[in-house]
Amino acid sequence: MAISATLHTFAVHLADVDRGVYEELELRVARHPSETDEFMVTRLLAYCLEYEEGITFSEGGVSATDEPAVLVRDLTGRITAWIEVGAPDAERVHRGSKLAGRAAIYTHRDPVKVLAQLAGKRIHRAEDIPLYSFDRDFIAAAVAALERRNTATLSITERALYLDLNGTTLSTPIEAHRLV
């Protein structure tokens, strides 16, 4: 019998001072059995940091082969932002960059290794694709604070992320790297 996804709910108060985005979000995040908690937390952070009208988690979750972890569609259904999580292969990033007007990668892994994996590969507009990373201890502490029902306050100011997750207060810089 196949193991089903675990559903996590998040009530998120988002205050992104850098972009002027202030929202109350009610999110249901399904964690696929093959997905780590670290990946799921990074996927949630990517969603919040990229939040705009039309943003969604991909339909197939982590197992979707034709969609990124997070994407943004305009009112016509056209993909306008392709947001990968973790350590995506160059072909997926290349495809997403060509398909959408904008692409980004968020990782909970060592950014040097992710960059090395993508180096020298054919990626459409690689110079325009940011790779964002979070401190590994920050991600580990956020995972430790996870519950099935979560309350979070997420603030971003001057590229620093402040997170209160179920009463646990954490912070980390959002490190930006370039693929080339």
Side-chain angles (χ1 to χ4, degrees):
M1 177 181 249
I3 300 173
S4 63
T6 303
L7 186 65
H8 293 267
T9 60
F10 292 87
V12 180
H13 173 75
L14 174 63
D16 189 337
V17 177
D18 292 350
R19 296 186 308 131
V21 175
Y22 304 93
E23 294 288 335
E24 297 291 331
L25 307 172
E26 293 291 330
L27 302 172
R28 288 192 174 121
V29 182
R31 187 178 60 78
H32 189 273
S34 67
E35 180 179 12
T36 65
D37 286 334
E38 291 81 4
F39 186 96
M40 184 187 71
V41 166
T42 305
R43 187 162 54 101
L44 173 72
L45 293 173
Y47 181 99
C48 292
L49 290 165
E50 293 285 337
Y51 184 82
E52 64 178 279
E53 190 69 33
I55 195 166
T56 62
F57 292 111
S58 72
E59 295 273 334
V62 71
S63 61
T65 58
D66 58 342
E67 289 185 340
V70 177
L71 55 93
V72 179
R73 293 184 188 274
D74 66 14
L75 294 174
T76 68
R78 185 178 68 86
I79 297 173
T80 60
W82 184 279
I83 298 112
E84 290 285 358
V85 172
D89 65 34
E91 187 177 311
R92 281 180 63 94
V93 178
H94 173 74
R95 180 176 177 272
S97 180
K98 284 182 77 172
L99 185 65
R102 181 173 66 81
I105 303 168
Y106 288 82
T107 192
H108 56 290
R109 298 177 184 233
D110 181 349
V112 172
K113 290 181 180 176
V114 175
L115 290 168
Q117 171 188 314
L118 298 172
K121 304 281 175 54
R122 188 180 86 157
I123 299 174
H124 182 70
R125 293 187 358 248
E127 65 279 357
D128 296 331
I129 302 172
L131 170 73
Y132 298 110
S133 63
F134 307 103
D135 181 76
R136 295 172 117 182
D137 291 336
F138 169 84
I139 295 293
V143 164
L146 269 181
E147 297 175 8
R148 293 287 294 278
R149 296 187 195 292
N150 300 276
T151 303
T153 300
L154 185 70
S155 301
I156 302 97
T157 184
E158 296 180 7
R159 296 309 291 169
L161 188 148
Y162 302 93
L163 174 66
D164 183 290
L165 180 60
N166 302 320
T168 300
T169 303
L170 308 164
S171 66
T172 185
I174 303 168
E175 298 290 337
H177 314 272
R178 287 289 170 187
L179 301 189
V180 290

